[in-house]
Amino acid sequence: MVLKARNQSKKRLVLLICGIVFSAFVALFYYQSQDSRSKKNIENIRTIYTERTENLVNNMFHKTDVLAAVVKLENGNITEDIFDKTAALVYQENSGIRGIQYMPDAVVTYSYPLEGNEAVMGKNFLEIPERREDCLLAINTKSIALSGPYHLIQGGLGLVARNPVFLTDDSGKEYFWGFSTIVLDLPDALTSVGLDHLPESGYEFQLFCVNENNEKIVICGNENLDMDHAVFGMVQVPNHEWTLAITEENPHQKYFGPLIVFTVGIVISLIVWKLYSTIASEHEAIEAKDAFFSNISHDMRTPLNAVLGFTSLAKSSGLSIQQKDDYLNKIETSGRLLLDLINDTLTISKAGNGKIILRPEPCRTDKLGASVLAAVQELAKQKGVQLIVEKTDYRERTVLADRLNSEKIFLNLLTNAVKYTPPGGHVWASVHDEPPNAKDADLVFVIRDDGIGMSPEFLKHVYEPFAQENRPGYESVGTGLGLAIVKQMLDLMGGTIQIRSEINKGTEITVRLHFPEVDADVQTEPYREISGTDDMTPAGKKALLCEDNAMNREIAVALLQSRNMKVVTAENGEAGVHAFMRSAEHEYDAVLMDLRMPVMDGLEAAKKIRALDRADAKTVPIIAMTADVFNETILAAKEAGMNEYVTKPIDQDSLFKILARCTSRRN
């Protein structure tokens, strides 16, 4: 069952991992498609705006051909009026043209418009060192030469296109006449390209060039553009090359979509995993429940079969007294095993449901488990196993502990050690403090035996309910719930357990518990069922028995009368209260009270008796009889005013010892 549960857990983990991997794959695919689309878009934008910029600049500067043609037509001699009319044909408002200039011998003679260009009038650009090289480039190449961008003499950032004009003299020789020039005002000239609209579409740009002085000049755009993530396009202009760099305004935005897809995938995976886990857990719970009831049915039927079988044999005729006694002893042994199984099943069920509540009380460490040790010593003596108790580096002190549940742990471990040690073997039980002599040390219990031991394979499942190792030549005894109960109890107490074992060499179990040390002069110890015999007998005493079950009532009456006790019976709590009220004071030496009864339960009946206005109501011993052995029930009985309790099935030795003690105190 546990192996199957582990396989189911692995399946759930694999399902979750597959969901995460699939989500990551989908997110990666989505990111790659987004990235590819983004690169394609930015590549298209780069191509479009590169071509637009290139066309604008080239078309604008080739307008110098108009003035150059007029100059050639007039053989270099044109009036200002003719220039203005010619320039007006070329000039366009709001196009970025700063001026159109007529420059015979590279001297600015006419300018259209004149306003804003007064500073360059009469300038000979062949005599200006920083402009001379550009002028000579145009002359030498006999083609339009682009200069700049640079800061214009007339102000502002601009580009200058000089179209060299060559004329022929009377001898037919070609000579340089001058320039037809257009000056562009940047970045106004580039407005029609639409670069300024790129940020509206989520893109940043920078148009730049490297001038003749090897300086980078930003023509327009974001001067602080992140070039590491930019896409570049070359803009070819006369005798120069510009660069258009474009990036996404929010380059990390492309991660948001895939991140959302991944997150949604994870959420869906978790939902599917949770649904699958819930369904699987419910299925496992059903299987575990079926397995639990199958195991408990099998384990209960085994001793029950012995009880019924030996009962049938004991009823056979012709048996000797010795044979009948042997059958009855076997019936009693099987019945006790069945009782142990029921008690252990209830304990492990309650622990698994979180219904066991620890009730720590001050108690002495030397008394913790003392009564258990006495019982185990008797068991070891009967089997012929030597029990050795050792105390080293141990300080007796008062601690806060749940004594009853602690003793259940020690009882299970010690009885197991004795049970699985062959006659002639040894069981060692030791206790010590860690660290030694510390104020608030851990209590460490070590139980070691030289018994049959356990295999490594079985040790992996040793804490599982009903786990028992069946080896050839060895018949398992017990319920298979002991170590499961111990582990759950220790987990509840915050303790630990370690088991080392080797087949045919023995087992060593180490239990570590931490009980807070307290200062207390008087220790309160919960009353418990006491086993064993006592020489004192309650003969001649009178008891009021409140029991609704006729068979249980018959058994109890027979037991009490076997010790010469007088018994008055009541079928429920209310009848018991009335019987006590009708009795004379101190008529009853004890009240035996079942807890679960119709009409009025035993707890309520005990409270009503204690509340009666008569002398013996407060002092008469009320002894609970219950099949419920949990702390909550015991404490509830104590709070209701009961003095002691005995468990069902009733152990007559325990019953009579308690009766003897209670009635003797009253005397």
Side-chain angles (χ1 to χ4, degrees):
M1 178 58 68
V2 171
L3 183 60
K4 192 171 183 180
R6 288 174 181 169
N7 290 335
Q8 285 291 342
S9 298
K10 289 180 180 178
K11 287 181 180 179
R12 296 178 205 171
L13 182 60
V14 169
L15 177 65
L16 182 60
I17 292 174
C18 288
I20 294 173
V21 171
F22 181 74
S23 300
F25 175 78
V26 172
L28 179 61
F29 178 79
Y30 183 74
Y31 167 76
Q32 290 175 338
S33 64
Q34 288 283 92
D35 188 54
S36 176
R37 187 182 299 111
S38 174
K39 289 179 180 178
K40 187 175 181 180
N41 289 342
I42 202 169
E43 185 67 26
N44 291 336
I45 290 170
R46 179 195 64 79
T47 302
I48 292 170
Y49 284 95
T50 298
E51 291 178 356
R52 284 185 182 181
T53 304
E54 201 171 273
N55 291 336
L56 172 71
V57 173
N58 287 307
N59 290 338
M60 194 69 73
F61 288 150
H62 278 291
K63 290 180 183 292
T64 59
D65 291 338
V66 177
L67 180 57
V70 173
V71 170
K72 289 180 180 180
L73 185 64
E74 297 295 329
N75 200 30
N77 296 313
I78 62 174
T79 64
E80 186 174 0
D81 182 57
I82 293 174
F83 167 77
D84 287 343
K85 289 180 180 179
T86 302
L89 295 174
V90 177
Y91 182 79
Q92 295 174 323
E93 286 192 35
N94 300 321
S95 64
I97 297 177
R98 178 69 176 272
I100 302 171
Q101 296 169 353
Y102 174 76
M103 300 176 61
D105 296 322
V107 178
V108 179
T109 304
Y110 303 139
S111 181
Y112 184 92
L114 179 60
E115 184 180 358
N117 292 298
E118 296 89 344
V120 297
M121 297 304 294
K123 296 285 186 181
N124 186 340
F125 278 77
L126 285 173
E127 295 178 353
I128 301 174
E130 59 267 26
R131 303 290 188 262
R132 177 181 173 80
E133 187 176 344
D134 291 337
C135 292
L136 292 176
L137 177 63
I139 295 170
N140 293 334
T141 60
K142 294 183 179 182
S143 62
I144 298 173
L146 183 66
S147 301
Y150 44 55
H151 295 288
L152 301 172
I153 295 174
Q154 58 268 49
L157 184 67
L159 292 172
V160 179
R162 296 182 179 90
N163 191 341
V165 178
F166 290 85
L167 299 179
T168 306
D169 59 15
D170 294 338
S171 64
K173 185 178 180 181
E174 187 179 62
Y175 67 94
F176 171 69
W177 171 84
F179 295 109
S180 169
T181 302
I182 285 182
V183 179
L184 288 182
D185 194 354
L186 297 177
D188 292 345
L190 299 172
T191 302
S192 60
V193 175
L195 288 170
D196 291 340
H197 297 296
L198 281 175
E200 299 174 5
S201 302
Y203 297 94
E204 293 284 352
F205 76 96
Q206 184 186 104
L207 181 64
F208 67 94
C209 70
V210 178
N211 66 12
E212 42 288 347
N213 296 322
N214 204 30
E215 297 174 334
K216 177 182 176 181
I217 304 296
V218 177
I219 300 170
C220 59
N222 183 358
E223 294 186 358
N224 300 316
L225 189 72
D226 182 8
M227 294 298 180
D228 292 336
H229 299 91
V231 175
F232 300 95
M234 298 299 109
V235 179
Q236 301 296 330
V237 295
N239 304 110
H240 282 276
E241 188 176 72
W242 294 353
T243 303
L244 177 62
I246 301 176
T247 65
E248 292 178 303
E249 190 171 15
N250 295 308
H252 301 296
Q253 190 172 8
K254 60 185 176 183
Y255 298 110
F256 294 160
L259 184 59
I260 292 173
V261 169
F262 181 69
T263 302
V264 170
I266 292 296
V267 171
I268 293 174
S269 298
L270 288 173
I271 292 174
V272 172
W273 174 78
K274 184 64 176 177
L275 288 173
Y276 177 81
S277 297
T278 301
I279 294 171
S281 296
E282 291 179 356
H283 183 68
E284 289 172 15
I286 293 172
E287 288 188 342
K289 181 180 178 182
D290 291 343
F292 179 81
F293 281 112
S294 175
N295 287 331
I296 198 172
S297 174
H298 172 271
D299 285 2
M300 282 186 173
R301 285 176 183 274
T302 300
L304 186 59
N305 179 67
V307 170
L308 296 176
F310 286 119
T311 300
S312 177
L313 290 173
K315 292 166 63 178
S316 301
S317 59
L319 295 176
S320 66
I321 295 177
Q322 184 178 357
Q323 287 176 315
K324 281 186 178 290
D325 288 343
D326 181 54
Y327 289 149
L328 290 175
N329 288 333
K330 291 178 179 178
I331 291 171
E332 182 181 16
T333 301
S334 298
R336 290 188 181 280
L337 178 59
L338 184 60
L339 178 61
D340 289 341
L341 179 61
I342 293 172
N343 289 337
D344 288 349
T345 302
L346 290 174
T347 300
I348 201 166
S349 174
K350 204 160 188 178
N353 293 330
K355 293 184 178 179
I356 290 184
I357 300 174
L358 296 179
R359 300 185 184 278
E361 292 181 335
C363 62
R364 294 286 298 174
T365 55
D366 55 311
K367 294 184 178 179
L368 194 62
S371 60
V372 168
L373 194 60
V376 175
Q377 283 175 330
E378 182 63 26
L379 177 65
K381 182 179 179 181
Q382 292 175 2
K383 192 175 180 182
V385 173
Q386 186 177 359
L387 178 61
I388 304 166
V389 179
E390 302 172 345
K391 295 182 181 181
T392 57
D393 295 325
Y394 162 74
R395 177 173 58 87
E396 294 181 358
R397 57 192 181 274
T398 302
V399 296
L400 203 61
D402 186 320
R403 179 169 178 173
L404 185 60
N405 284 318
S406 298
E407 289 182 346
K408 286 181 180 178
I409 293 173
F410 304 144
L411 181 62
N412 266 305
L413 296 178
L414 286 168
T415 53
N416 270 357
V418 173
K419 189 187 303 180
Y420 296 109
T421 299
H426 304 79
V427 173
W428 293 268
S430 66
V431 59
H432 64 272
D433 294 336
E434 281 192 11
N437 302 318
K439 171 65 177 174
D440 204 21
D442 290 345
L443 273 174
V444 180
F445 299 88
V446 180
I447 298 169
R448 181 167 57 90
D449 63 67
D450 52 8
I452 63 172
M454 293 175 276
S455 66
E457 294 76 18
F458 179 70
L459 281 174
K460 298 175 183 177
H461 309 284
V462 72
Y463 300 121
E464 298 171 14
F466 299 103
Q468 289 181 309
E469 185 174 23
N470 295 311
R471 299 209 303 267
Y474 167 70
E475 180 182 355
S476 296
V477 293
T479 65
L481 294 173
L483 284 176
I485 292 173
V486 167
K487 184 66 168 65
Q488 290 190 352
M489 288 291 187
L490 284 171
D491 289 344
L492 194 62
M493 294 180 181
T496 61
I497 181 172
Q498 291 181 330
I499 300 178
R500 293 191 306 169
S501 188
E502 192 173 346
I503 290 181
N504 298 325
K505 289 189 177 180
T507 300
E508 180 179 279
I509 299 177
T510 303
V511 172
R512 181 185 296 271
L513 284 164
H514 183 81
F515 296 131
E517 187 171 349
V518 295
D519 294 326
D521 295 329
V522 179
Q523 282 70 51
T524 59
E525 299 177 6
Y527 66 96
R528 301 176 309 285
E529 177 183 4
I530 300 175
S531 60
T533 58
D534 199 298
D535 293 336
M536 300 177 65
T537 60
K541 305 293 184 181
K542 186 174 183 180
L544 172 60
L545 172 65
C546 302
E547 171 65 70
D548 64 306
N549 185 277
M551 189 173 294
N552 287 341
R553 195 165 56 246
E554 182 180 351
I555 292 172
V557 168
L559 286 174
L560 295 172
Q561 289 179 344
S562 70
R563 294 295 180 98
N564 297 319
M565 288 187 67
K566 301 175 183 177
V567 186
V568 174
T569 62
E571 295 181 355
N572 56 63
E574 184 178 70
V577 173
H578 290 161
F580 189 84
M581 292 172 62
R582 292 193 301 268
S583 68
E585 285 191 2
H586 303 294
E587 178 179 343
Y588 293 116
D589 296 287
V591 177
L592 297 173
M593 185 75 71
D594 184 24
L595 296 187
R596 296 188 183 185
M597 293 182 290
V599 184
M600 181 184 294
D601 63 36
L603 297 176
E604 186 64 25
K607 292 177 183 177
K608 288 189 175 296
I609 290 175
R610 293 300 187 205
L612 293 175
D613 186 18
R614 49 187 284 175
D616 58 349
K618 298 290 189 293
T619 59
V620 63
I622 303 178
I623 301 168
M625 295 196 307
T626 176
D628 190 344
V629 295
F630 292 112
N631 283 356
E632 297 92 313
T633 305
I634 297 171
L635 291 173
K638 187 175 182 180
E639 291 172 359
M642 298 187 181
N643 303 89
E644 299 281 356
Y645 82 96
V646 292
T647 59
K648 295 178 181 178
I650 296 173
D651 181 272
Q652 58 178 322
D653 290 337
S654 299
L655 173 63
F656 291 129
K657 185 168 184 177
I658 290 172
L659 281 171
R661 185 172 67 245
C662 290
T663 54
S664 65
R665 286 176 185 170
R666 198 160 182 247
N667 293 336

